[in-house]
Amino acid sequence: MNAPLYNTQILRLAASIPFQERLPAPAVTSEKRSPVCGSRVTVDIDMAEGRVSAVGMLVRACALGQASAALMAAHVVGRTAGELAEARDQLTAWLAGERAEPPEWPGFELFVPALPHRARHPSIRLAFEAAAEAAAQAEAG
């Protein structure tokens, strides 16, 4: 039996996104948009000593995109640009079926029901793509 795509855990996570306000003067901002569904995520990042020190977001996405943004935001502070790039790459590979295990980031097992729904994958990736890009830009100076 297939698990429902929008289950209670996904909906609960989507309703509890941390850092939902933009930073007043971020070091770097990255915005990603899915042309498939129109979802959009803007991520502001400040870094200190090579690690994310503050994050702010504007999330306009479906429940899957919101839930993914919530997972990213819940664990992004303290991460390096390299760690964010690795999480983004692992997520992309997992959604594409090129990796058997979910990304090494807390909570992604909740997205197993979304694996067969390829049209939803871009929305799930948005927050991680934006955070990785912003952190890389901040690191580059």
Side-chain angles (χ1 to χ4, degrees):
M1 180 165 123
N2 290 335
L5 181 58
Y6 293 104
N7 59 50
T8 303
Q9 292 172 308
I10 291 283
L11 295 175
R12 197 171 286 140
L13 191 58
S16 64
I17 303 171
F19 307 112
Q20 282 200 77
E21 292 187 20
R22 304 278 311 269
L23 296 179
V28 182
T29 297
S30 177
E31 180 178 277
K32 295 294 179 182
R33 183 182 155 302
S34 169
V36 174
C37 65
S39 291
R40 184 182 310 251
V41 175
T42 304
V43 176
D44 299 328
I45 292 221
D46 285 336
M47 296 194 61
E49 299 179 13
R51 297 189 176 277
V52 174
S53 60
V55 64
M57 298 190 307
L58 177 62
V59 179
R60 300 288 184 251
C62 67
L64 292 171
Q66 291 175 34
S68 180
L71 281 182
M72 185 280 296
H75 304 284
V76 71
V77 174
R79 302 283 182 143
T80 66
E83 289 170 330
L84 291 173
E86 183 176 353
R88 177 204 56 213
D89 295 347
Q90 287 178 0
L91 175 60
T92 300
W94 181 60
L95 290 171
E98 300 166 0
R99 176 185 167 93
E101 296 298 317
E104 294 170 16
W105 193 276
F108 264 102
E109 61 281 351
L110 293 176
F111 289 94
V112 169
L115 290 175
H117 300 275
R118 295 205 179 274
R120 302 294 186 198
H121 294 179
S123 185
I124 295 169
R125 292 192 316 259
L126 289 178
F128 282 85
E129 290 172 349
E133 179 177 276
Q137 290 175 1
E139 189 175 74

